[in-house]
Amino acid sequence: MSNLRSLTFDAIIIGGGGSGLRAALELAKSGKKTAVLSKVFPTRSHTVSAQGGITCAIASSDPDDDWRWHMYDTVKGGDYIADQDAAEYMCSEGPKAVFELEHMGLPFSRFDNGRIYQRPFGGQSKNFGEGGQAARTCAAADRTGHALLHTLYQNNLKNNTTFLNEWYAVDLVKNSNGDVVGCIAMCIETGEVVHVKSKATVLATGGAGRIYASTTNALINTGDGIGMALRAGFPMQDMEMWQFHPTGIYGAGTLVTEGCRGEGGYLVNKDGERFMERYAPNAKDLAGRDVVARSMVMEILEGRGCGEKGDHVFLKLDHLGEEVLGKRLPGIVELSKTFAHVDPAKDPIPVVPTCHYMMGGIPTNIHGQAITQDESGNDHIINGLFACGEAACVSVHGANRLGGNSLLDLVVFGRAAGMFIEGALNEGIEYLDASESDIDAAMKRINRWNESNEGGESIPELKAELQDIMQNSFGVFREEKNMQEGVKKLADLRSRIANAHLPDKSNTFNTARVEALELDNLMEVAEATAIAALERNESRGAHSRYDYPDRDDVNWLKHSLYFPATKELKKRDVNFKPKTVDTFEPKVRTY
Amino acid sequence: MSNLQVSVYRYNPETDSAPYMQEFQVDTKGRDLMVLDVLHLMKEQDSALAFRRSCREGVCGSDGMNMNGKNGLACITPLSDVVKGNKLTLRPLPGLPVIRDMVVDMGLFYKQYERIQPYLQNDTPAPAIERLQSPEERDKLDGLYECILCACCSTSCPSFWWNPDKFVGPAGLLQSYRFLADSRDTATRERLTSLEDPFSVFRCRGIMNCVAVCPKGLNPTRAIGKIREMLLADAT
């Protein structure tokens, strides 16, 4: 029996990062009754940590730049399982979305002619890979994510968006037809649990890098939207595809932007050799992130790593000079001094590949509508459910995301979801109300924690164990036996988490309860990742297997689709039909 | 000896009639941890300890707090910077109501931020591409736009303690000047008019605590000085 207070909106956006705020802005302007529900004050979201920039063919650095070249790079970078209709949409709509951000006030760095500054990033080319390195990443120094997130928050204030800040979404509410009609959410400050009713529920909850022990991700990146969707029985796409960023600071895991290499920095091994010249003779340090990360691990494994343990390499920046570092990479200088105790103007930064980005997520179309698949393999729209940003898998990143494409993804598809929802609301949406039992189903999990008894294991210990399993069995290189053990350990962990104990049951700003709820989500994400990784018997993009070292286009030029109820992995077709350009056919991927 | 003695402010309104200081012994294993790492070790001892955190790298502004008497971000403050005699005292940011333990109600702080209309205003039609801005014009925003809204400055400011409802405070004024200084913003007059009263800007007494504590190395006092100059020039 539920006697919950309910809040009713036309649309609820869960997550206050870049994609959520961009979707919210569109809806706020439309006059619809919408709200952003965020577990942190919006400018504390992980978008704030993005550094190097937003990649987009605005033709500033090169007046002849073409979004089709950007699309080619994106598709190639994704090792050909990016959906080409989605990559086409992102790259062609991108300039409009970036100019909008500038008009909103985003303080981009500038060229002498007053246009937005663009820097080279990994995997960028001119003329479909034939014209050499491009410089396509629009930057606000090395604080682009901060500038972008604050600008979006400010413009939401301007447009009177309703915010439910420091509220935590617990689970989706589905009606008896399986439509998503809102969620259960908790006000963190008071502990009050409410039923949020909504015609459109947007999961903009970001990534889940905290499934790994070593990650560039914020502590809040626990895959809450992924967990909610999986518990509601919806499938996840390409969850085996996790990006390891080449340059996380050794020991601390904090990110050092690819923009460092874009500005002319490069990696060296213990012999001082610029080893990327061997692995990627043309692009060198600006090859795809998966390629650079693997090369670094190879150097380390072959005994050419740096430091006492030989377990990292160095990023050399001192030759850029203090002026360039101060102007273009001031945040990196700060981070490096704080976390590596190194002044990059003098000494190289110790770096190691570090979990950074989830290419997979909730499968959606370009309007942000969440998708599931029927028994015969046909796509179906999930009524009422949307996703955008890192939580979604549109898929523009395929098996490996290019640097600077995540910020573009989140503004383009946040905006697209907002526009689509506005149109749908104008046409009229009516779903059956949730029944008492539908609501009770969504309350199950929070009730379980609130009734948990002493004797169950501790939440931080279980979390650490989960992170170690993922780190050890599902890292940069993978192999069947090790992954099978990982899957087994996760299954065991799941039952232990189901009996874990939440000692603090108070209501006021109970962060222990939030961490308990987050642990469930980490568990869902980890298991989906593990099973998908074990079953994709090939190496593609970020998914590298010792036992299947080659790409297998005959069997695996496909998305994987993980179904939580049966824990089965199915396949879904990749879109090879862009609307205005010819298909980019799969080729051998070299840099 | 690697046991650090930490004294931390505790208050849960559901169970405590008044706030108190609780003592923790934290084994740092001799490492120069960040204060946030120490808080996590304390939370392993007592999961009820409440504090905010997110990015853990000094860019999100969640974990502003008072450490041995000085405001700063726990995640980028190494013990070696603050600990004296093996003792660390942690208190919530001063001057704001405490919700629980280290968590303060930031409502007043955000309200002052919203009051200065923290968004670009430009009444000319937007071009098809970006608005142009020279590198020199853009340089004027450096030292302003980087604010992370951690509230370390405003909550170290005696003028803000006295008049948090009327004095905008260093963080809000820094952002106010960020838009006044932006060559693309056309609302200068309206912005200045809204700040003309005796409190909004002029309650700043140049104490400069804001400058001393800003974890991003920003200088709100200088920005406030610039606003004063603009207001005075406007008045003559």
Side-chain angles (χ1 to χ4, degrees):
Chain A
M1 178 62 206
S2 103
N3 48 4
L4 298 178
R5 182 162 73 100
S6 63
L7 299 173
T8 305
F9 298 101
D10 290 324
I12 182 85
I13 293 153
I14 303 171
S19 71
L21 291 187
R22 188 60 191 83
L25 188 57
E26 211 57 42
L27 286 162
K29 286 193 238 170
S30 77
K32 303 294 176 199
K33 193 179 177 204
T34 58
V36 175
L37 186 151
S38 174
K39 67 177 175 177
V40 293
F41 182 77
T43 63
R44 325 285 182 213
S45 306
H46 187 54
T47 303
V48 83
S49 292
Q51 298 172 350
I54 175 165
T55 301
C56 186
I58 61 163
S60 164
S61 143
D62 172 5
D64 297 325
D65 200 9
D66 191 319
W67 66 262
R68 293 164 193 86
W69 302 348
H70 179 200
M71 178 186 165
Y72 167 82
D73 293 342
T74 301
V75 169
K76 176 186 170 186
D79 222 348
Y80 298 95
I81 60 164
D83 287 314
Q84 298 199 9
D85 59 338
E88 175 188 40
Y89 182 81
M90 178 178 80
C91 297
S92 61
E93 285 287 298
K96 214 184 294 173
V98 169
F99 293 141
E100 282 170 1
L101 289 170
E102 196 283 331
H103 297 156
M104 287 179 213
L106 200 157
F108 282 111
S109 301
R110 301 286 171 154
F111 283 121
D112 284 341
N113 66 2
R115 293 209 62 192
I116 294 171
Y117 174 72
Q118 291 185 297
R119 59 163 55 110
F121 245 54
Q124 290 179 358
S125 77
K126 298 181 183 187
N127 196 18
F128 309 106
E130 304 293 325
Q133 177 74 40
R136 193 174 289 130
T137 301
C138 311
D142 58 356
R143 303 189 180 98
T144 316
H146 169 277
L148 184 148
L149 186 64
H150 280 251
T151 300
L152 285 175
Y153 179 64
Q154 292 163 351
N155 278 269
N156 273 285
L157 289 178
K158 185 179 180 182
N159 288 281
N160 297 312
T161 300
T162 302
F163 283 100
L164 298 170
N165 290 336
E166 297 184 324
W167 280 65
Y168 187 81
V170 178
D171 264 314
L172 295 171
V173 175
K174 290 196 296 182
N175 68 15
S176 52
N177 297 330
D179 312 321
V180 173
V181 292
C183 66
I184 296 295
M186 175 181 77
C187 171
I188 297 173
E189 184 178 336
T190 63
E192 186 193 10
V193 176
V194 304
H195 172 206
V196 178
K197 295 183 185 177
S198 179
K199 291 170 187 164
T201 302
V202 184
L203 295 174
T205 50
R210 286 284 153 182
I211 62 170
Y212 287 91
S214 170
T215 175
T216 65
N217 283 194
L219 294 156
I220 58 171
N221 283 24
T222 51
D224 298 331
I226 307 295
M228 290 165 72
L230 283 168
R231 276 188 302 275
F234 301 131
M236 283 304 130
Q237 181 166 284
D238 297 338
M239 287 301 287
E240 65 278 29
M241 299 302 178
W242 280 86
Q243 178 163 85
F244 290 81
H245 196 290
T247 54
I249 292 181
Y250 173 67
T254 42
L255 174 68
V256 175
T257 176
E258 187 170 299
C260 290
R261 283 169 284 138
E263 297 288 346
Y266 55 86
L267 298 163
V268 293
N269 60 22
K270 73 169 184 188
D271 304 321
E273 184 205 4
R274 185 175 181 180
F275 59 85
M276 280 311 300
E277 289 178 336
R278 271 188 278 119
Y279 296 92
N282 297 312
K284 300 181 183 127
D285 294 82
L286 289 177
R289 286 179 177 172
D290 55 334
V291 175
V292 179
R294 272 194 294 279
S295 308
M296 292 167 71
V297 173
M298 294 300 291
E299 287 300 296
I300 292 165
L301 291 176
E302 290 172 11
R304 291 186 294 277
C306 305
E308 270 175 36
K309 294 183 188 163
D311 56 355
H312 57 274
V313 302
F314 281 134
L315 174 64
K316 192 172 140 37
L317 296 176
D318 58 307
H319 58 287
L320 301 180
E322 286 198 30
E323 201 188 322
V324 171
L325 290 173
K327 189 91 204 151
R328 300 294 183 208
L329 302 165
I332 293 308
V333 174
E334 257 178 62
L335 278 173
S336 174
K337 286 179 180 169
T338 307
F339 289 102
H341 309 294
V342 160
D343 177 358
K346 299 191 182 107
D347 296 301
I349 310 174
V351 291
V352 71
T354 304
C355 168
H356 183 56
Y357 188 87
M358 175 178 80
M359 269 76 73
I362 300 157
T364 70
N365 60 21
I366 60 169
H367 308 298
Q369 293 178 285
I371 288 167
T372 186
Q373 193 186 54
D374 66 18
E375 302 271 304
S376 8
N378 299 313
D379 282 356
H380 287 280
I381 301 290
I382 301 167
N383 286 333
L385 186 65
F386 297 80
C388 53
E390 191 169 342
C393 183
V394 182
S395 149
V396 285
H397 308 306
N400 168 63
R401 174 174 71 76
L402 291 189
N405 266 357
S406 60
L407 292 184
L408 187 65
D409 170 5
L410 61 83
V411 289
V412 167
F413 292 105
R415 179 174 172 269
M419 292 190 303
F420 181 85
I421 292 167
E422 183 189 350
L425 288 168
N426 286 338
E427 282 174 26
I429 301 175
E430 286 308 325
Y431 299 128
L432 203 60
D433 270 350
S435 68
E436 292 283 318
S437 64
D438 297 329
I439 296 167
D440 288 346
M443 285 290 293
K444 222 167 100 182
R445 180 165 90 96
I446 193 165
N447 289 339
R448 206 297 285 167
W449 282 111
N450 287 340
E451 290 154 13
S452 67
N453 293 318
E454 277 180 51
E457 291 178 83
S458 103
I459 292 157
E461 281 170 27
L462 290 165
K463 180 158 79 180
E465 215 172 303
L466 180 145
Q467 292 167 333
D468 283 338
I469 296 170
M470 296 309 292
Q471 192 76 28
N472 294 328
S473 297
F474 303 93
V476 173
F477 285 104
R478 299 162 175 185
E479 179 270 324
E480 182 166 85
K481 195 158 162 283
N482 194 8
M483 286 197 285
Q484 279 171 341
E485 276 167 27
V487 168
K488 230 182 274 166
K489 283 182 193 164
L490 286 173
D492 170 57
L493 198 65
R494 180 182 277 281
S495 59
R496 288 160 60 199
I497 290 174
N499 293 307
H501 176 222
L502 171 66
D504 179 7
K505 301 200 173 61
S506 63
N507 290 317
T508 309
F509 221 100
N510 183 339
T511 52
R513 181 182 284 123
V514 172
E515 288 180 25
L517 293 164
E518 287 174 339
L519 178 62
D520 288 329
N521 294 327
L522 291 170
M523 182 66 230
E524 297 293 345
V525 177
E527 193 167 43
T529 297
I531 290 173
L534 177 60
E535 295 199 20
R536 187 181 276 270
N537 291 329
E538 65 155 355
S539 290
R540 178 186 301 274
H543 179 65
S544 302
R545 295 190 52 158
Y546 285 128
D547 43 358
Y548 297 92
D550 299 320
R551 194 171 87 187
D552 175 4
D553 283 349
V554 176
N555 295 302
W556 282 107
L557 194 59
K558 298 275 182 192
H559 296 298
S560 74
L561 213 53
Y562 168 78
F563 285 82
T566 54
K567 299 190 196 291
E568 273 181 308
L569 197 76
K570 295 185 181 173
K571 293 177 185 175
R572 180 168 171 252
D573 287 341
V574 173
N575 180 292
F576 284 100
K577 288 186 181 142
K579 293 191 179 69
T580 63
V581 293
D582 291 339
T583 302
F584 295 117
E585 299 293 342
K587 289 194 291 196
V588 178
R589 184 166 162 256
T590 55
Y591 284 102
Chain B
M1 183 60 190
S2 55
N3 257 9
L4 178 73
Q5 190 169 343
V6 188
S7 182
V8 65
Y9 181 100
R10 300 298 305 264
Y11 176 62
N12 179 344
E14 291 170 52
T15 49
D16 305 326
S17 55
Y20 61 99
M21 298 302 289
Q22 186 185 358
E23 303 299 317
F24 280 83
Q25 298 287 326
V26 180
D27 183 4
T28 60
K29 299 197 170 79
R31 296 165 296 175
D32 187 16
L33 298 174
M34 297 295 175
V35 172
L36 180 63
D37 300 326
V38 172
L39 277 161
H40 281 137
L41 292 173
M42 289 157 68
K43 197 169 172 68
E44 281 176 23
Q45 295 179 33
D46 179 0
S47 69
L49 176 64
F51 54 91
R52 292 187 176 104
R53 83 287 180 279
S54 173
C55 76
R56 64 78 172 91
E57 59 187 23
V59 295
C60 80
S62 296
D63 62 352
M65 59 185 66
N66 189 275
M67 299 168 285
N68 275 354
K70 191 175 171 188
N71 288 356
L73 297 178
C75 60
I76 54 168
T77 303
L79 291 175
S80 55
D81 270 13
V82 285
V83 171
K84 291 178 198 95
N86 209 37
K87 278 203 70 167
L88 176 63
T89 301
L90 300 176
R91 293 175 183 273
L93 290 173
L96 294 174
V98 172
I99 295 171
R100 173 175 177 171
D101 300 341
M102 302 297 286
V103 178
V104 293
D105 181 346
M106 304 268 284
L108 265 173
F109 173 80
Y110 294 139
K111 215 175 114 195
Q112 292 297 357
Y113 173 67
E114 289 171 28
R115 222 192 95 189
I116 60 98
Q117 305 197 323
Y119 37 80
L120 193 84
Q121 299 178 56
N122 187 312
D123 52 17
T124 62
I129 60 166
E130 72 268 42
R131 289 196 164 93
L132 300 182
Q133 186 173 47
S134 72
E136 294 72 30
E137 289 168 334
R138 170 60 183 76
D139 282 350
K140 294 190 175 137
L141 308 183
D142 282 341
L144 304 172
Y145 82 96
E146 301 93 323
C147 173
I148 58 174
L149 300 177
C150 64
C152 286
C153 60
S154 293
T155 61
S156 71
C157 172
S159 299
F160 190 76
W161 295 338
W162 279 108
N163 295 107
D165 51 339
K166 288 188 256 178
F167 174 50
V168 173
L173 290 171
L174 186 81
Q175 286 318 292
S176 179
Y177 186 63
R178 176 250 172 277
F179 290 101
L180 286 167
D182 196 321
S183 60
R184 302 169 296 171
D185 193 276
T186 58
T188 305
R189 173 149 297 276
E190 295 81 349
R191 291 183 188 280
L192 290 175
T193 304
S194 74
L195 297 172
E196 270 171 355
D197 63 282
F199 280 92
S200 299
V201 177
F202 290 101
R203 277 287 133 169
C204 171
R205 301 299 191 214
I207 300 165
M208 296 184 75
N209 279 359
C210 53
V211 184
V213 299
C214 177
K216 305 309 285 182
L218 310 179
N219 191 330
T221 306
R222 186 163 59 209
I224 294 169
K226 300 265 190 191
I227 299 176
R228 279 178 199 256
E229 283 170 23
M230 292 176 89
L231 281 167
L232 294 171
D234 215 39
T236 51

